[in-house]
Amino acid sequence: MELPRVAVVTGANRGLGRATAMALARRGFCVVLTYRGDRLEAEGVVRSIRELGGEAFPIRLDVADTASIDRFADELLAEVGRRWSAGGIDVLVNNAGIGLFAGLHEATVEQFDALFATNVRGPFFLTRALARRMGDGGRVVNISTSLTRHVSAGTSLYAASKSALETLTRSLAVELGPSGIRVNCIAPGPTATDFNGGAMRDDANLRETLAGATALGRVGEPEEIADAVAALASGDLRWVTAERIEVSGGSLL
Ligand code: NAD
C-alpha cells in the first residue's frame, strides 16, 4: 500500500499559505495547516480542501514561540500517524511571516525582535524539528520576498530578515542534502493578500505603481505563488536545491 504524501504549511489560514495548502491538496498531498490565532479561518480552508476531495487538518502553532516547536512536532507526527498511517512528513513550507515597513528612525527593538523571531528563528527551528521526520526525498520551501533583490526606503529590516532566510536556505540545503532533502525558496513579488494591511490588494494607487514596475503589468495573485511552491514540492524539480526562485511577474527589473 502506498502511504500518503504529507505536506505541512505554516500560516495556512489565509493568503499565500491558504493558496499553497489548496495547490498541494489538488496535487494529491494530505495537508497539515498551521494557524496562529484564527482557528475558524483554518477550518474553512480544511473544508475547501475536503470539497476538492482532499484531506487536511489544522493545528495551532506560533512559529515565534520556539519553546513550543518540539512539542508541536511530536503532536503533528502523532496525528499524521493516526489519521493517515504516515510515519513522517514529505514537505514543509515555511510560509508564516510578518512584514515591517519602518525606516531607520522609526523601527523599535520590539518590532525588530518580533520580525526576526517570526521570519528567521521560527523557520530555522521548525526545519530542524521536522527534517528529523523527513525521509529521503523530503523538501523544504521557504517563502522569501523579491525585496531581497532590490532595495527601497523603509524595507531594510523586513528584507534583511528574508535575506537571512535565503542564506539559511542555501546552508541547510548543504546540511540536509546527504539525507536526500532539498531546500529552496520562493521569492514572491507584491501579491494581493492581507499582508501589509492588505495594501497590495486594496490600495489602488499602490497597485498601479507596482503594476507599472512589473514586466507583466500587474500585481500577483496568491494562486500564482502557490503553484510555484507546489512545483518545487513536486518530483519535476527533484534536482533543484539551494535555489531562490523569484515569482514576481518580473518586478523591478
Ligand atoms: P498574510 O499576512 O495574509 O499571511 C501571513 C500568515 O502568517 C498568516 O496566516 C499569519 O497568521 C501567519 N503568521 C504570522 N506570524 C505568525 C506566527 N508568529 N506564527 C504562526 N503564524 C504566523 O500575508 P501573505 O501575503 O499570505 O504572506 C505569506 C508569506 O509571504 C510571508 O512570509 C510574507 O513575508 C511573504 N510574502 C508576501 C508578499 C505579498 O506581497 N503578499 C510578498 C513577498 C513575500
Side-chain angles (χ1 to χ4, degrees), residues 11 13-16 36 61-64 95-98 118 143-145 158 162 188-191 193-195 200:
N13 50 299
R14 68 181 201 212
L16 303 187
R36 180 180 46 173
L61 171 69
D62 178 347
V63 297
N95 164 78
I98 54 173
T118 308
I143 305 301
S144 181
T145 172
Y158 175 63
K162 294 293 191 177
T191 311
T193 67
D194 287 313
F195 191 71
M200 269 81 70

Side-chain angles (χ1 to χ4, degrees), residues 24-117:
L24 291 169
R26 273 193 203 94
R27 288 159 177 83
F29 284 91
C30 294
V31 186
V32 183
L33 299 99
T34 87
Y35 66 96
R36 180 180 46 173
D38 202 329
R39 185 173 177 96
L40 287 181
E41 249 181 5
E43 284 170 351
V45 184
V46 168
R47 270 197 305 282
S48 302
I49 288 176
R50 291 195 179 134
E51 279 161 25
L52 294 173
E55 291 192 48
F57 69 87
I59 181 166
R60 189 181 179 281
L61 171 69
D62 178 347
V63 297
D65 180 5
T66 316
S68 73
I69 284 181
D70 283 335
R71 192 175 60 244
F72 160 83
D74 289 342
E75 257 176 56
L76 169 79
L77 262 291
E79 198 58 26
V80 298
R82 196 179 68 74
R83 287 176 185 251
W84 300 324
S85 305
I89 69 155
D90 302 286
V91 174
L92 166 64
V93 183
N94 280 309
N95 164 78
I98 54 173
L100 174 60
F101 300 95
L104 177 63
H105 297 293
E106 289 106 47
T108 66
V109 172
E110 290 74 22
Q111 286 175 321
F112 185 111
D113 287 347
L115 185 74
F116 278 76

